[in-house]
Amino acid sequence: MFLILHMKRIDINRLSIFIVSLFMLFSFTSCLTYKKIVSFQDGEDLKDGKIDTIMNYMPLKVQPGDVLSINVNSYNMEEAGKFNLLETRFAARSGGGGGATDPFGYKINSEGYIEMPVIGKIYVKDLTIEEIRELVFEKISAIGYLQDVSIQIQFLTFRITILGEVNNPGTYTITNSKITILEAVGLASDLTLFSKRDDIMIIREKDGNRTYGRVDLKTKAVFQSPYYYLLPNDIVYVNPDRSKILTTPDPVTRYIGTIAAVASFILLLISL
């Protein structure tokens, strides 16, 4: 009789060990690993002094619907201010006029023109910011309206949206004419530990078409991707890693976990 009880106790102990081992196995499968959270894993040859030729960057060209901030400066600031719509708008608001919250600047019309005081219409479609700056400078200088002119131009409608497994998702307005996927990740306060770094999707709408691209931050090939440099209105979606799904509680897993924990505790008491 003692031998039978002893054998039963051994079987119960083995069963308890099996259940604990099973739980440990499931726990390990949901754990994050070094390879899941490190970027540029094949970039060991990216050493100090290495130079790569940039082949995938194209200067951004403005399109109808874009809004530009054009700021003209001169010694004669009173006359230069007539070109600066932000100053005109501020004066209007000070006089009791209302103001919208959307970008206020020179909007490119459907035909590709902007219209400025004194110099009139300027065709800017498919020009870069630098090309527009030079064009405006030439036109103001040609009419002799101002002397010692300096001009600064910025995009007001360069927006990108970052969603998914980032610490601070949202829509961001870029005042520069260039931003990379890495800079976008930085704006969103970096990826979370549960991000799938090898499966970042970029949704892009251009010329009436919507395209989808994938970026893998685990490899240095990301620097050559056509989606490394983002365009206005791009949407960046960072997919979650499977480990997050496994660690996210749902009703079924909660019940199974509770039942299994109670069963393990009872078996442990019996074995003792």
Side-chain angles (χ1 to χ4, degrees), residues 59 73 84 88 99 105 110 113 116-117 150 195 220 223 228 249 263 266:
N73 293 296
N84 303 329
T88 304
S110 59
Y113 288 90
M116 299 185 66
S150 66
S195 64
K220 62 182 181 181
F223 297 111
Y228 179 70
I266 293 174

Side-chain angles (χ1 to χ4, degrees):
M1 185 67 178
F2 176 78
L3 181 61
I4 294 175
L5 290 174
H6 182 67
M7 292 180 64
K8 285 183 177 181
R9 179 173 297 178
I10 292 175
D11 291 340
I12 290 173
N13 287 336
R14 287 178 178 174
L15 182 59
S16 300
I17 293 173
F18 172 76
I19 292 175
V20 173
S21 301
L22 193 62
F23 268 92
M24 292 180 66
L25 177 63
F26 279 116
S27 298
F28 283 128
T29 57
S30 64
C31 286
L32 294 171
T33 62
Y34 178 81
K35 288 187 176 181
K36 286 184 177 182
I37 60 175
V38 175
S39 300
F40 317 129
Q41 295 177 22
D42 62 349
E44 293 158 355
D45 59 334
L46 300 179
K47 299 177 181 177
D48 290 345
K50 179 177 175 59
I51 299 176
D52 282 334
T53 302
I54 297 175
M55 304 291 292
N56 57 338
Y57 174 67
M58 294 293 292
L60 189 61
K61 298 180 179 181
V62 302
Q63 300 298 319
D66 288 341
V67 182
L68 303 176
S69 165
I70 301 179
N71 189 39
V72 178
N73 293 296
S74 172
Y75 284 120
N76 188 346
M77 290 303 300
E78 182 178 352
E79 294 298 320
K82 294 179 180 179
F83 293 95
N84 303 329
L85 295 185
L86 289 178
E87 293 186 10
T88 304
R89 185 189 192 194
F90 178 77
R93 292 182 66 182
S94 300
T101 56
D102 4 322
F104 189 83
Y106 289 101
K107 185 174 183 179
I108 304 171
N109 66 21
S110 59
E111 297 176 346
Y113 288 90
I114 59 173
E115 186 167 359
M116 299 185 66
V118 183
I119 56 180
K121 289 185 177 181
I122 306 175
Y123 188 77
V124 297
K125 180 183 177 182
D126 292 326
L127 296 183
T128 65
I129 291 295
E130 183 58 29
E131 289 171 340
I132 297 173
R133 191 196 70 79
E134 292 177 1
L135 184 58
V136 173
F137 178 83
E138 289 173 3
K139 287 186 174 295
I140 292 178
S141 300
I143 61 176
Y145 188 74
L146 292 171
Q147 301 297 322
D148 302 312
V149 178
S150 66
I151 301 169
Q152 291 82 39
I153 301 180
Q154 290 182 324
F155 272 100
L156 295 181
T157 50
F158 191 158
R159 295 189 181 95
I160 57 171
T161 300
I162 311 172
L163 304 171
E165 285 301 317
V166 292
N167 288 305
N168 193 18
T171 298
Y172 296 85
T173 299
I174 313 301
T175 56
N176 198 357
S177 60
K178 180 176 73 172
I179 184 172
T180 68
I181 184 67
L182 298 180
E183 291 171 324
V185 167
L187 284 177
S189 302
D190 206 356
L191 307 177
T192 71
L193 290 177
F194 294 108
S195 64
K196 201 170 184 182
R197 294 172 183 260
D198 57 355
D199 189 17
I200 298 176
M201 181 171 63
I202 289 88
I203 304 170
R204 176 169 295 169
E205 294 185 3
K206 185 180 180 183
D207 299 327
N209 298 311
R210 183 181 295 113
T211 60
Y212 305 87
R214 301 279 175 171
V215 172
D216 182 357
L217 292 187
K218 288 186 177 182
T219 169
K220 62 182 181 181
V222 64
F223 297 111
Q224 305 305 322
S225 168
Y227 292 94
Y228 179 70
Y229 292 98
L230 299 178
L231 296 181
N233 302 314
D234 276 358
I235 298 175
V236 180
Y237 178 72
V238 183
N239 282 291
D241 188 81
R242 183 176 175 80
S243 58
K244 179 171 184 177
I245 300 173
L246 292 174
T247 56
T248 301
D250 59 75
V252 175
T253 54
R254 281 198 295 268
Y255 288 132
I256 293 176
T258 302
I259 294 172
V262 172
S264 299
F265 181 71
I266 293 174
L267 290 173
L268 182 61
L269 289 178
I270 295 174
S271 66
L272 295 176

